[in-house]
Amino acid sequence: MEKYVQVGPANVAYAVEGNGPAVLLIHGTGGSYEGTWGNLRNTLAPDFTVITPNYSGSGKTQDSRDRLELDDLIEQNVQAVTQEGFTRFHVVGYSLGAVIATAIAAKYPERVQSVTPIAGWVESDLAIAYQFDLWQKLFRQDRELFAQFAIHTGFSSTFYSSFQTVEQLHEFTANLAATLAEGTGKQAELDTRINLRPLLGKVTAPAQVIGLTYDRMVPVEQTRELAALLPDARYHEIASGHLVLWEQEAELIDTIVSFVRAIRALPPK
């Protein structure tokens, strides 16, 4: 069931499913909880309460501001968990969601039981900022062109073996374009300004950092750096491009669920 929580000027839509300890799932740029977390949510729900917000720019969340700030997205996600009555929770984030999840673990170390960043990065260097500047321009100009570029850079070469013709790829592109969040451009602008370096030493929760070997959006070296700088991090790498939820979802889900269950089984500190 979809619910709402007011966080400053934003009316944040989120869903809740399952029973047990809380797991917060945070989507990436241009995405939504509906299009990102369905299978993982279903896998976790028998044992956990799964909370999936759509932060500003995505889904039915309403926020009239033109510029997004990382602190605002942190609070939108945390307040959804708080409204459900949980003081402690696990957090999983993908891409920009990985950045948000890591920042939540730094800002609320007493509340976060574990953090799983997928394809996250520490700081937007010139190459990343340049890429996300291009994303903004393509999204404004032509959403289908944006989706075609995202597919071209988002998958490994082996993914293309599931298609027979360029026409099939164009059909896939049109379907992706139709699902893009209205606030994709605003979210991509925030991607150009990320800097987690001052925060990483404040993370005390155990982390499972997931890198993607063939990632051309967030190069895997960036994700390996994130793992190296977190105080208590394990690192797992999946042979996939950035769009791992389409390319290697089964391995991704198994990695996330195994880690969260293992942390839950530990005696409380």
Side-chain angles (χ1 to χ4, degrees):
M1 180 177 70
E2 192 157 67
K3 301 183 177 183
Y4 292 87
V5 60
Q6 192 71 33
V7 185
N11 193 27
V12 180
Y14 69 97
V16 183
E17 185 175 336
N19 291 283
V23 180
L24 170 64
L25 304 182
I26 309 176
H27 65 78
T29 301
S32 65
Y33 74 74
E34 298 95 332
T36 304
W37 299 123
N39 290 330
L40 176 60
R41 182 176 58 192
N42 293 341
T43 303
L44 288 168
D47 302 307
F48 297 91
T49 300
V50 186
I51 302 168
T52 51
N54 278 331
Y55 55 75
S56 289
S58 291
K60 296 180 181 177
T61 292
Q62 299 295 316
D63 186 347
S64 61
R65 290 172 293 186
D66 292 328
R67 182 179 170 94
L68 302 181
E69 300 295 343
L70 181 58
D71 280 346
D72 295 328
L73 304 191
I74 290 170
E75 290 307 315
Q76 289 175 20
N77 284 278
V78 171
Q79 291 307 314
V81 177
T82 301
Q83 181 163 278
E84 292 304 309
F86 291 96
T87 57
R88 304 198 71 203
F89 55 93
H90 305 269
V91 58
V92 178
Y94 167 61
S95 196
L96 176 56
V99 170
I100 299 167
T102 305
I104 288 172
K107 187 172 182 179
Y108 294 100
E110 74 286 355
R111 297 188 65 182
V112 174
Q113 295 172 277
S114 75
V115 56
T116 303
I118 308 156
W121 70 102
V122 175
E123 183 176 2
S124 296
D125 61 14
L126 185 60
I128 284 182
Y130 188 62
Q131 171 187 230
F132 288 123
D133 179 72
L134 176 59
W135 277 31
Q136 294 170 70
K137 293 173 181 175
L138 288 173
F139 186 75
R140 284 195 300 267
Q141 178 181 336
D142 185 324
R143 295 188 185 188
E144 196 158 320
L145 189 63
F146 173 92
Q148 184 171 356
F149 181 74
I151 289 168
H152 175 63
T153 58
F155 290 113
S156 71
S157 59
T158 57
F159 177 78
Y160 287 89
S161 64
S162 59
F163 297 88
Q164 302 299 318
T165 66
V166 171
E167 288 72 24
Q168 289 177 336
L169 280 164
H170 283 309
E171 182 178 354
F172 182 63
T173 298
N175 292 335
L176 176 61
T179 69
L180 291 170
E182 289 298 319
T184 296
K186 292 193 292 186
Q187 295 167 358
E189 193 281 327
L190 175 59
D191 288 328
T192 70
R193 297 184 279 115
I194 297 303
N195 184 7
L196 295 180
R197 291 190 191 280
L199 302 179
L200 296 180
K202 300 175 183 179
V203 177
T204 59
Q208 167 87 299
V209 178
I210 299 176
L212 306 173
T213 307
Y214 305 113
D215 197 333
R216 291 193 287 165
M217 293 181 180
V218 178
V220 71
E221 293 80 11
Q222 303 265 3
T223 308
R224 291 172 185 160
E225 180 188 28
L226 177 61
L229 293 177
L230 285 170
D232 182 12
R234 303 135 183 84
Y235 179 72
H236 180 80
E237 194 164 302
I238 297 175
S240 174
H242 189 79
L243 300 177
V244 62
L245 286 146
W246 289 267
E247 189 167 350
Q248 296 287 357
E249 185 183 41
E251 182 178 351
L252 179 68
I253 289 175
D254 181 67
T255 303
I256 294 168
V257 172
S258 297
F259 175 66
V260 174
R261 285 178 174 160
I263 297 300
R264 183 188 62 173
L266 293 174
K269 292 183 179 180

